[in-house]
Amino acid sequence: MKSVCVYCGSSNGVKPLYAEAARAFGRALVEAELALVYGGGKVGLMGVIADTVMAAGGRAIGVIPELLVNKEVGHNGLTELHVVPDMHQRKKMMADLSDAFVAMPGGVGTLEELFEVYTWAQLGYHQKPVAVLNIDGFYDPLITMLRHTVEEGFMRGTYFDVLQVEAEPAALISRLQRYQPPPQDKWADNRNAV
């Protein structure tokens, strides 16, 4: 594992601990010698984690669509900033550059990005770890909903277990580095319950 894609909010949220966790996760990435791949913004948690990685001597790779660069939210102080035509190309490039995916607190865009790579894992497009950094229980309602989908027969338990959940940045990185995808036959089973 060389790089981790982080999806997170373009705002800081109402609790200061979200930004504190973003800084802690940024430092943990650098300590583990992992590059940050993210949406290329300079605002919100996106900017916090990127600034932390750069200040700690790490690598931060941003991928941002032209529309957001034109709105002047692109981060110019990164190791690399890729400007792409649209959101689809942004998400594809971020996925191609990454060995794992982590969602921190964020809004509907963060959730959409998380669910896209989670679905790609279910369909067998990749076997990279998909995770949430569950700061202060932020993702507890989502985890409850996902369990409900298993209970109601819309998702297999094997696929539910693919989502890695940790509350502490260093613990999450350790878990990502140890991740072993389910055997191929289990992944094939999951394709019947998309």
Side-chain angles (χ1 to χ4, degrees):
M1 183 176 297
K2 296 179 181 177
S3 60
V4 175
C5 181
V6 176
Y7 305 121
C8 58
S10 58
S11 69
N12 285 345
V14 297
K15 298 179 182 176
L17 59 86
Y18 296 142
E20 291 167 18
R23 284 188 284 273
F25 194 51
R27 288 189 297 269
L29 287 171
V30 175
E31 289 169 13
E33 298 182 359
L34 296 168
L36 166 69
V37 176
Y38 84 114
K42 65 181 179 183
V43 295
L45 296 183
M46 294 172 68
V48 171
I49 193 168
D51 288 344
T52 302
V53 166
M54 294 303 296
R59 296 183 66 232
I61 302 164
V63 184
I64 193 165
E66 292 172 356
L67 176 70
L68 295 181
V69 169
N70 293 338
K71 291 186 177 185
E72 299 182 354
V73 297
H75 197 308
N76 293 319
L78 304 174
T79 310
E80 299 173 27
L81 179 63
H82 301 274
V83 179
V84 295
D86 56 44
M87 291 294 287
H88 294 291
Q89 291 185 43
R90 176 199 215 182
K91 292 185 291 182
K92 182 182 183 322
M93 179 176 268
M94 288 169 68
D96 290 344
L97 291 171
S98 303
D99 300 312
F101 306 97
V102 172
M104 293 180 55
V108 69
T110 300
L111 294 171
E112 185 266 337
E113 290 168 322
L114 169 65
F115 275 107
E116 184 168 60
V117 294
Y118 196 12
T119 302
W120 289 353
Q122 182 177 12
L123 295 173
Y125 287 118
H126 72 79
Q127 290 188 312
K128 301 172 184 179
V130 178
V132 295
L133 184 56
N134 194 22
I135 300 162
D136 197 36
F138 181 85
Y139 280 108
D140 287 353
L142 178 66
I143 294 162
T144 298
M145 183 64 204
L146 291 172
R147 283 197 181 103
H148 181 64
T149 66
V150 173
E151 292 163 3
E152 295 297 316
F154 290 100
M155 182 169 67
R156 297 183 192 277
T158 303
Y159 182 56
F160 174 83
D161 294 339
V162 167
L163 185 66
Q164 307 296 293
V165 180
E166 288 288 348
E168 297 298 325
L172 181 56
I173 288 175
S174 177
R175 190 167 180 168
L176 294 175
Q177 291 173 323
R178 294 189 321 268
Y179 177 77
Q180 294 293 319
Q184 283 295 315
D185 60 331
K186 296 292 184 184
W187 286 87
D189 290 345
N190 287 333
R191 292 188 192 112
N192 297 325
V194 174

